[in-house]
């Protein structure tokens, strides 16, 4: 089965990165990137107002901020919501996601063994799996 690895925003499949600049609305606020939305669900407004997705990620990982108590239980669902909003509000990247066909999507970096593949395939690749779920939802919506 074909595999598509992504990570950097400016690479061919960079639109799948949470750092890719595709703002979306959650119905009440505009989020500059899916990374902003995801990290803000831990700490809310403080993150949304940060300009850079890298700075948002760093602040979201700062354990000086109190993490919501249910975070480990809800983080995958929060990411899925972010991806649904991002791709549903940007038809050009929804089309890009659909053109990946049935390929296995892999966030490829040694920096993350939960959302990515850990760089060597040992990671959980949760972002890739959620993107494939969104791709299937988009596919079913266009049938």
């Amino acid at each position: 089965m074909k595999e598509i690895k992504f990570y950097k925003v400016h690479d061919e499949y960079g639109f799948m990165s949470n750092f890719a600049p595709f703002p979306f609305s959650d119905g009440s606020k505009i989020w500059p990137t899916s990374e902003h939305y995801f990290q803000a669900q831990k700490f809310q407004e403080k993150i949304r107002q940060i300009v850079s997705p890298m700075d948002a990620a760093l602040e979201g990982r700062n354990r000086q901020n109190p993490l919501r108590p249910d975070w480990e239980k809800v983080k995958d669902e929060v990411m899925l919501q972010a991806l649904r909003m991002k791709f549903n509000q940007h038809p050009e990247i929804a089309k890009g996601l659909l053109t990946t066909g049935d390929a296995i999507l892999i966030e490829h970096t040694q920096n993350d063994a939960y959302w990515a593949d850990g760089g060597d395939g040992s990671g959980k690749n949760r972002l890739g799996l959620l993107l494939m779920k969104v791709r299937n939802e988009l596919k079913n919506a266009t049938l």
Side-chain angles (χ1 to χ4, degrees):
M1 172 136 329
K2 181 180 178 187
E3 291 183 351
I4 294 175
K5 294 182 178 180
F6 66 94
Y7 182 62
K8 295 186 183 211
V9 172
H10 299 293
D11 289 347
E12 182 179 2
Y13 293 99
F15 66 89
M16 292 191 277
S17 166
N18 285 326
F19 284 32
F22 292 98
F24 58 85
S25 170
D26 66 1
S28 62
K29 294 182 173 115
I30 301 294
W31 298 94
T33 66
S34 49
E35 186 70 22
H36 280 82
Y37 177 85
F38 177 77
Q39 297 294 347
Q41 301 318 299
K42 296 176 183 177
F43 316 112
Q44 292 304 321
E45 194 63 18
K46 179 179 186 181
I47 302 283
R48 191 178 72 86
Q49 295 179 3
I50 295 173
V51 175
S52 153
M54 178 56 81
D55 290 343
L58 291 171
E59 188 62 31
R61 294 179 188 122
N62 177 357
R63 289 299 163 248
Q64 301 302 313
N65 294 315
L67 193 61
R68 61 188 268 190
D70 64 345
W71 185 245
E72 290 304 315
K73 284 189 239 161
V74 301
K75 67 183 179 182
D76 282 35
E77 187 59 34
V78 167
M79 182 65 77
L80 181 58
Q81 290 170 354
L83 295 172
R84 284 174 172 151
M85 289 184 283
K86 173 182 171 177
F87 285 93
N88 283 315
Q89 293 176 37
H90 291 279
E92 70 278 19
I93 61 171
K95 183 178 177 185
L97 186 59
L98 286 168
T99 63
T100 65
D102 292 324
I104 298 169
L105 305 179
I106 301 168
E107 185 180 31
H108 180 60
T109 177
Q110 63 186 13
N111 298 334
D112 192 329
Y114 185 79
W115 294 110
D117 67 352
D120 61 3
S122 66
K124 294 181 189 259
N125 189 39
R126 293 298 301 150
L127 181 59
L129 295 171
L130 292 174
L131 282 163
M132 290 185 282
K133 181 179 179 102
V134 170
R135 179 180 63 195
N136 285 336
E137 291 172 0
L138 290 168
K139 210 181 289 186
N140 291 333
T142 57
L143 292 179

